[in-house]
Amino acid sequence: MTMTTGFRILKRDRVAAPEIVAEFAKLPVANVSDSMSRMTAAGSRLRPMHTSGGMAGVALTVKARPGDNLMLHAAIDRAVPGDVIVVDAGGALDNALMGELMLAYAIKKGVVGFVIDGAIRDLDNFRETNLPTWAAGVTHRGPYKDGPGEVNVPIAIDGMVFHPGDIVIGDSDGVLCVPIDGAETILEATQDKSAKEIKQMADIEAGTNDRTWVDRALKERGCALLDD
């Protein structure tokens, strides 16, 4: 059978190790982002649609025609426990890509979260079930189911690239993709940063935190400190 680019379903060649995903689940997204040089983000349009809580899982990617959810259905059918389904639908908000029925099915399949560059509906149900979900908007108008689209191909949302099997994390600050290659290095750097922040917080509580760096940075940049 000939594969048609733009209308195909592929298999993932590899996925991130569960033990690495579990460690990222313990860390704030902001700290992971800082440890990736603050160069990776999916933009502030994607907002939490659930009530509370974070997410860590493995990317199952979908490239969908705006307003069409045929390939999202196909992805949920193929999902395994621990998957985060990430959908590039071009940011279109005219049609919701999923609602409560698809959400219930995804939960039954063991999906741990959604990242949707598009709209959802049945928002109250997303809040009640509280499956971690980030989307670009909400609308009552439903989707089409004609395709085309692709599953398990590299996608990008506002410049952040997701490869199938990458680590996807999220909290109230947003979502972040951590590439499989380099994940261990990023994890170690983030754990070190988090440990330093815990010490800094303790110093703040004790009144011993060092703030000399602020005036030093101002002077290095040529700021006149007239209040000396």
Side-chain angles (χ1 to χ4, degrees), residues 64-75:
R65 181 170 69 89
D68 190 292
N69 74 355
L70 177 61
M71 283 305 185
L72 177 51
H73 276 283

Side-chain angles (χ1 to χ4, degrees), residues 5 15 29 57 62 66 91 103 116 120-121 141 150-151 189 205 213:
T5 299
V15 298
V29 171
V62 180
L103 177 61
I116 300 176
I120 64 164
R121 66 180 179 180
R141 190 160 66 177
E150 298 181 301
V151 174
E205 291 295 324
W213 69 269

Side-chain angles (χ1 to χ4, degrees), residues 14-125:
R14 56 179 181 155
V15 298
E19 58 271 20
I20 298 294
V21 176
E23 290 300 313
F24 273 103
K26 304 173 184 177
L27 300 168
V29 171
N31 284 4
V32 182
S33 178
D34 286 353
S35 298
M36 294 173 66
S37 300
R38 303 170 183 169
M39 291 294 290
T40 302
S44 58
R45 294 181 303 105
L46 300 181
R47 302 312 307 159
M49 298 296 169
H50 58 295
T51 303
S52 63
M55 170 189 74
V58 173
L60 195 170
T61 62
V62 180
K63 189 171 183 64
R65 181 170 69 89
D68 190 292
N69 74 355
L70 177 61
M71 283 305 185
L72 177 51
H73 276 283
I76 298 175
D77 282 344
R78 289 159 175 78
V80 298
D83 278 347
V84 173
I85 298 181
V86 186
V87 185
D88 169 15
L93 303 180
D94 291 336
N95 301 85
L97 295 184
M98 65 177 293
E100 63 176 333
L101 295 177
M102 294 175 71
L103 177 61
Y105 179 43
I107 292 171
K108 190 71 172 178
K109 293 282 290 184
V111 172
V112 298
F114 283 93
V115 179
I116 300 176
D117 192 15
I120 64 164
R121 66 180 179 180
D122 301 326
L123 178 59
D124 288 344
N125 194 258

